[in-house]
Amino acid sequence: MNGNHYEMRFGGSGGQGMMLLGDILSLAAGCLEGKEILLTKSYGPESRGGACRSELVIDSSPINYPAVFRPDFVLAMTQLACDQYHQDLAPGGALLLDADLVPRPPAGQRNLYRLPLTRLARESTGKAITANMLALGAIAVLGRAAGVEAVRQAVRELLPARLLDINMIAFNAGLQAAEQLRPAGAPAERETARVHAA
Amino acid sequence: MNTRYKILTGNEACALGALDAGMSFFAGYPITPATEIAELAAELLPRRGGKYMQMEDELASISAVIGASFAGAKAMTATSGPGFSLMQENLSYGMLAEIPCVVIDVMRQGPCQGVATLPAQGDLMQARWGTHGDHPVIALAPCSVAEAYFETIRAFNLAERFRTPVLVLSDAALAHMSEKVGLPEPGSLTIVNRKRPHSPKDKSFRPYADDGSGIAPLASFGDGYRWYVSGIIHDETGFPATASPEAISDKVKHLLGKIENNRAEIEAWEEYRAEDAELLILAIGLVARSAKAAIDQARLEGKKTGLFRPITLWPFPERRFAELADPCGKTLVCEMNEGQLAGLAAQLSHAKIIPLNQNNGRLITAETILQGIREAY
Amino acid sequence: MSGHIFDKYLRREKLPHMWCPGCGNGIVTQALLRAIEAAGAAQDEVVIVSGVGCSSRANGYLDFCGIHTTHGRPIAFATGVKMASPRLKVIVITGDGDCASIGGNHFIHAARRNIDLTVVVYNNSNYGMTGGQYSPTTPLGSLSKTSPLGNIEPHFDVCSLAGAAGATYVARSSTYHVQALIRQLTAAVRHNGFAVVEAMCDCPTLYGRLNRQGDAAAMLLRWKEICLPREKARSASPEELEGKIVIGEFVNSAERPEYTASYDQLIQQAKAREARA
């Protein structure tokens, strides 16, 4: 594994838009920034509401295995996803949680970011369903998948025009919320024992 | 931004490759993990004037595909193990009647219903010997989403060129994972179309007469040639020729020969760090990618290891495999089955064959292969 | 007249045919050729698709484009031909086993779609090619090589099956009622939709011999005895219908859209939507 290898996992339940996050970041990192990407999605047998996740591997070299083993970044939108996935985190990896939906964060976790993503989505757009776009904004700041502008461009390309405005509001709200979490000028995912919470 | 790059799943790549190869007819039956190919065909074919048809079962799917090809369409179906089994009888019809078409088999864990969502490489021998009688077969095994796109195009080209069904062996993992594919500019692809007859449209027309190239031209129903073909062993008129031992033997030899004698045009493979290898790995599809990572690591440990990856699985690129395997003395055969390629490798090479089989619905990891290398080296 | 049709539509060099003396298949095939002529179908636009069995061998004697397919699949092959080239007149020659047993699923689903195919079912009440085993149309109690004590399976009524599944032309006749058979086949070939004609025909070598129905002539005359025109059957009592075969036209409807026509509309819609987008 070289230094450019970066693994991400987005876990939640069906309907929270975890799959779309993978699609947007794949497009941003793969097509807009020219990196290699490999995206997988997995669902429970339910069409709606079951546990689901998408996993994204980003690398500057060809990717050999279509799975994430030691994610550098985990987003958990449910307590179950958090409980299942935080243990796999790579050393120095970052964990972003929906602060309301994941009431019991893992104890002693480094680089833990807690944002009330769904609540902020409701406040900014009036729709809880835009929480994934809020998470995307936060990931653009806190993660290393792709630059903020590439992510923004990928959102424009992937979402239908009629949904773009509301989703951009949520995306920008996520950017802001994450910026406030991060000390000014500090790079994302510093080795830190501090628990960031909004 | 380079707009030519798209993020696609393996299934999407197969469907788009087929469309770019000129597919105008798709007949299928829903089955996990191949369904998305049908869904995309249903969405995109009518926009281009083509037709998607959902048949009552896989027996009907392959039959309709061959029927459409008789009438001039480039036709395809996509399925997985259980459906592929149902198609076998009529695949042999396509092989005997020499009708081009493409079948994508997205392999899943078997046997029987197995595990519908998990990958496997259990259909390698079904692809080779699934139907009855000695028959020709071309089967391609992509290892990436980009290759799924290009190998599907190559499958159509080979089908049209050699007048035969061509198989593409994908798997459940490749089918559903997304990668970046550099789609070629429209018009830059090499597309092969079946050779049409130019002989008089009268009683003298012999639909299976060799024009000297080894492959008879193929007329389409309705274009003025009046011809008939039977699924019974037939001569160059298309009519049964069961009374003559020579005619039977000639037909079978022709079918096998048109593939065997054109191996150079059909075979494709990848070699990775194989030139100076002291241990050769034989693997296809996604397993070969894990093997590459394992090889890189093994070489850091001083173990000279290399990869031979058939892209054309059938006909197996046996000469090149033996050239690489024999000097090594040892070949580690990594596959997600109980040893379908290992048995073949043992027949083809003097090298000691060391099987590494994992048959549990999970892709073989680089770590597992690295361990295999350490033990085998 | 008949000489003209045979010269035009038969591959004389393929004769003599392989059917047994007295077999009814020739009568049905001749009726089909007369129907193709009467319907005015262009010879190079006709494709005959047959399955496997005695009747399916008719294909090889006919001078049209033809596919002699696998057992049970002619309707599925024919569906592909028709979809790829809807202007072709695609006619399926099939037997009772080929159509109603191994190919039963394709039969009902093609009827459901109402795709424009003409299906001629040569029903000789048994599997002739393999030596006289019972088929799904063998009458209850009949003897066959695999029902030596009498068939205990009730039979399929091919016409009821076709009608229930959605076929838009359904008729039945017999090798005795040849003029009616020609009329029905003509209507079926002209029909734009899924058309089924069941021709009751004779297998004197196997079914007839096993069931002591006499020679070929006796078997032909037997149809005269047991076939009841649909009009008369309507007013007949259940006792009078016992052991009888109802012949005539059961369905002749232009109400349901034909499948390839619907598909062409779908293509126009898809293209229009694409153009708007």
Side-chain angles (χ1 to χ4, degrees):
Chain A
M1 301 290 162
N2 59 51
N4 296 314
H5 189 86
Y6 192 68
E7 298 188 354
M8 309 182 86
R9 184 179 285 161
F10 315 111
S13 65
Q16 285 184 314
M18 294 301 98
M19 302 308 173
L20 184 61
L21 285 186
D23 291 336
I24 292 169
L25 290 168
S26 297
L27 185 64
C31 295
L32 303 178
E33 295 192 343
K35 299 169 191 161
E36 297 296 326
I37 66 97
L38 201 154
L39 174 69
T40 61
K41 302 174 178 181
S42 56
Y43 311 81
E46 309 89 344
S47 282
R48 293 284 178 274
C52 67
R53 68 170 193 262
S54 66
E55 296 185 334
L56 176 60
V57 184
I58 302 171
D59 206 318
S60 55
S61 308
I63 298 162
N64 281 321
Y65 198 83
V68 159
F69 295 101
R70 301 288 283 162
D72 301 284
F73 193 105
V74 168
L75 165 69
M77 295 292 284
T78 62
Q79 186 69 50
L80 181 68
C82 177
D83 296 345
Q84 283 184 337
Y85 302 143
H86 82 272
Q87 291 144 337
D88 297 341
L89 267 172
L95 177 63
L96 172 62
L97 307 176
D98 186 305
D100 295 333
L101 301 181
V102 186
R104 297 179 303 282
Q109 177 69 46
R110 289 161 164 258
N111 289 344
L112 174 64
Y113 300 96
R114 300 183 71 208
L115 283 172
L117 296 164
T118 307
R119 192 190 338 146
L120 290 174
R122 243 185 249 112
E123 288 169 7
S124 58
T125 68
K127 291 190 187 303
I129 200 169
T130 59
N132 64 332
M133 285 297 127
L134 219 119
L136 183 70
I139 291 166
V141 173
L142 302 170
R144 286 194 285 121
V148 171
E149 277 321 301
V151 177
R152 201 192 301 274
Q153 176 63 24
V155 172
R156 285 199 200 99
E157 289 191 21
L158 271 185
L159 291 186
R162 65 194 162 81
L163 299 177
L164 206 51
D165 287 350
I166 187 171
N167 281 290
M168 275 301 174
I169 291 169
F171 177 72
N172 290 330
L175 285 177
Q176 278 176 15
E179 290 288 358
Q180 284 166 12
L181 278 185
R182 203 175 66 174
E189 295 172 43
R190 288 178 316 149
E191 277 288 336
T192 170
R194 257 182 61 200
V195 172
H196 310 273
Chain B
M1 177 205 170
N2 190 344
T3 51
R4 290 173 57 235
Y5 281 95
K6 279 206 152 179
I7 307 287
L8 300 173
T9 64
N11 276 348
E12 288 168 343
C14 286
L16 293 181
L19 284 160
D20 288 352
M23 171 178 71
S24 62
F25 183 74
F26 182 105
Y29 186 80
I31 185 168
T32 302
T35 311
E36 294 83 2
I37 302 174
E39 290 175 354
L40 205 53
E43 184 186 340
L44 297 181
L45 270 172
R47 293 188 199 173
R48 306 181 185 200
K51 291 172 184 172
Y52 161 85
M53 198 168 176
Q54 191 156 302
M55 301 305 292
E56 49 275 15
D57 54 33
E58 288 89 348
L59 303 164
S61 301
I62 184 66
S63 301
V65 159
I66 295 170
S69 190
F70 267 108
K74 284 189 178 179
M76 180 173 98
T77 185
T79 187
S80 186
F84 191 45
S85 296
L86 288 179
M87 292 180 182
Q88 292 299 334
E89 183 195 6
N90 290 292
L91 269 173
S92 85
Y93 189 93
M95 290 162 182
L96 178 74
E98 301 187 70
I99 301 302
C101 64
V102 172
V103 177
I104 297 185
D105 174 25
V106 184
M107 294 184 286
R108 69 190 219 189
Q109 177 71 48
C112 195
Q113 197 173 342
V115 187
T117 54
L118 296 180
Q121 296 180 327
D123 297 351
L124 310 188
M125 285 300 167
Q126 185 178 206
R128 180 63 196 90
W129 295 116
T131 192
H132 48 288
D134 289 278
H135 52 268
V137 74
I138 299 176
L140 313 178
C143 79
S144 68
V145 174
E147 220 173 70
Y149 173 83
F150 288 104
E151 288 302 300
T152 303
I153 294 171
R154 195 164 75 95
F156 272 94
N157 285 347
L158 290 170
E160 296 283 314
R161 165 81 177 86
F162 294 106
R163 285 192 58 170
T164 190
V166 175
L167 315 173
V168 177
L169 296 177
S170 176
D171 68 62
L174 179 57
H176 289 148
M177 71 187 216
S178 300
E179 289 188 292
K180 189 169 67 169
V181 182
L183 294 173
E185 297 294 339
S188 70
L189 286 166
T190 301
I191 300 299
V192 177
N193 294 307
R194 61 192 70 175
K195 195 166 43 176
R196 301 290 186 179
H198 299 290
S199 46
K201 295 177 177 178
D202 60 22
K203 290 261 184 195
S204 69
F205 179 60
R206 291 172 301 161
Y208 289 84
D210 188 349
D211 66 349
S213 71
I215 314 291
L218 176 55
S220 295
F221 287 163
D223 67 7
Y225 290 98
R226 209 177 291 155
W227 61 289
Y228 168 90
V229 66
S230 174
I232 297 171
I233 295 272
H234 49 255
D235 59 20
E236 61 183 25
T237 66
F239 280 83
T242 53
S244 154
E246 293 77 21
I248 296 170
S249 167
D250 285 353
K251 180 70 187 182
V252 175
K253 283 201 167 71
H254 162 71
L255 294 176
L256 296 168
K258 72 178 180 181
I259 306 301
E260 193 59 34
N261 301 334
N262 291 288
R263 276 179 171 269
E265 211 179 320
I266 301 167
E267 287 181 353
W269 65 82
E270 181 192 9
E271 296 171 19
Y272 181 72
R273 307 186 80 168
E275 321 77 40
D276 64 339
E278 292 170 353
L279 173 68
L280 187 71
I281 294 182
L282 170 63
I284 64 160
L286 286 173
V287 177
R289 290 168 65 167
S290 292
K292 283 184 184 177
I295 286 165
D296 290 345
Q297 191 61 38
R299 283 191 172 251
L300 293 177
E301 298 174 10
K303 297 179 177 66
K304 287 186 178 174
T305 315
L307 171 71
F308 183 70
R309 175 174 75 90
I311 301 171
T312 304
L313 175 64
W314 308 119
F316 192 85
E318 49 197 44
R319 205 174 76 183
R320 186 57 186 155
F321 170 67
E323 280 171 5
L324 292 170
D326 287 347
C328 285
K330 285 180 193 170
T331 297
L332 183 65
V333 185
C334 305
E335 48 187 332
M336 291 166 59
N337 56 48
E338 296 295 335
Q340 299 189 14
L341 286 184
L344 178 76
Q347 291 171 28
L348 295 177
S349 149
H350 306 303
K352 184 185 178 200
I353 301 302
I354 304 152
L356 193 166
N357 307 120
Q358 181 176 305
N359 198 2
N360 60 1
R362 303 297 185 277
L363 291 174
I364 305 178
T365 61
E367 286 67 26
T368 302
I369 296 176
L370 183 60
Q371 193 54 40
I373 292 170
R374 288 178 183 140
E375 287 166 17
Y377 199 81
Chain C
M1 179 67 189
S2 69
H4 165 67
I5 286 186
F6 290 165
D7 286 341
K8 188 173 174 185
Y9 293 135
L10 286 184
R11 297 178 191 261
R12 284 194 176 267
E13 71 279 12
K14 298 298 171 192
L15 299 172
H17 60 69
M18 48 80 74
W19 294 318
C20 304
C23 173
N25 288 349
I27 298 173
V28 182
T29 305
Q30 183 193 159
L32 175 61
L33 294 182
R34 291 182 187 281
I36 290 170
E37 176 77 1
Q43 194 163 358
D44 281 329
E45 303 282 296
V46 171
V47 177
I48 310 279
V49 186
S50 62
V52 165
C54 293
S55 53
S56 290
R57 288 298 190 98
N59 202 348
Y61 309 124
L62 308 183
D63 196 12
F64 303 100
C65 278
I67 331 178
H68 181 206
T69 70
T70 50
H71 194 26
R73 315 297 159 223
I75 290 173
F77 275 79
T79 296
V81 173
K82 184 71 184 179
M83 287 294 277
S85 194
R87 70 182 163 86
L88 297 176
K89 180 46 75 179
V90 185
I91 298 170
V92 173
I93 291 179
T94 180
D96 43 308
D98 195 60
C99 172
S101 188
I102 189 169
N105 203 29
H106 312 311
F107 182 62
I108 58 173
H109 285 279
R112 174 176 63 83
R113 295 184 190 106
N114 194 32
I115 187 167
D116 181 23
L117 302 176
T118 306
V119 178
V120 189
V121 186
Y122 292 52
N123 182 358
N124 67 359
S125 307
N126 76 152
Y127 288 91
M129 182 70 84
T130 49
Q133 299 79 23
Y134 71 91
S135 85
T137 63
T138 303
L140 202 61
S142 287
L143 300 177
S144 76
K145 295 280 186 66
T146 46
S147 57
L149 299 178
N151 178 24
I152 59 168
E153 295 187 21
H155 74 280
F156 260 146
D157 179 325
V158 170
C159 287
S160 298
L161 187 64
T168 47
Y169 184 88
V170 181
R172 181 190 288 127
S173 189
S174 83
T175 45
Y176 179 84
H177 304 86
V178 178
Q179 293 309 316
L181 182 60
I182 294 170
R183 279 196 304 277
Q184 291 170 2
L185 286 167
T186 305
V189 172
R190 283 193 177 131
H191 183 74
N192 181 31
F194 193 74
V196 177
V197 175
E198 182 185 16
M200 304 305 298
C201 67
D202 330 287
C203 179
T205 303
L206 295 163
Y207 183 78
R209 187 168 51 86
L210 287 167
N211 289 283
R212 300 179 185 281
Q213 290 184 354
D215 61 9
M219 287 189 81
L220 270 180
L221 289 170
R222 189 171 162 274
W223 297 127
K224 185 184 174 189
E225 300 301 317
I226 67 170
C227 289
L228 197 62
R230 185 165 177 249
E231 297 68 32
K232 285 187 183 165
R234 278 206 189 98
S235 56
S237 66
E239 293 76 30
E240 288 170 319
L241 286 173
E242 185 69 31
K244 293 281 195 278
I245 293 170
V246 181
I247 57 173
E249 215 172 65
F250 301 102
V251 181
N252 187 355
S253 161
E255 280 171 27
R256 294 179 62 219
E258 191 278 322
Y259 185 77
T260 59
S262 297
Y263 212 106
D264 284 341
Q265 287 178 6
L266 185 143
I267 288 173
Q268 297 318 315
Q269 277 175 27
K271 284 182 170 172
R273 191 175 294 186
E274 176 96 331
R276 278 199 304 272

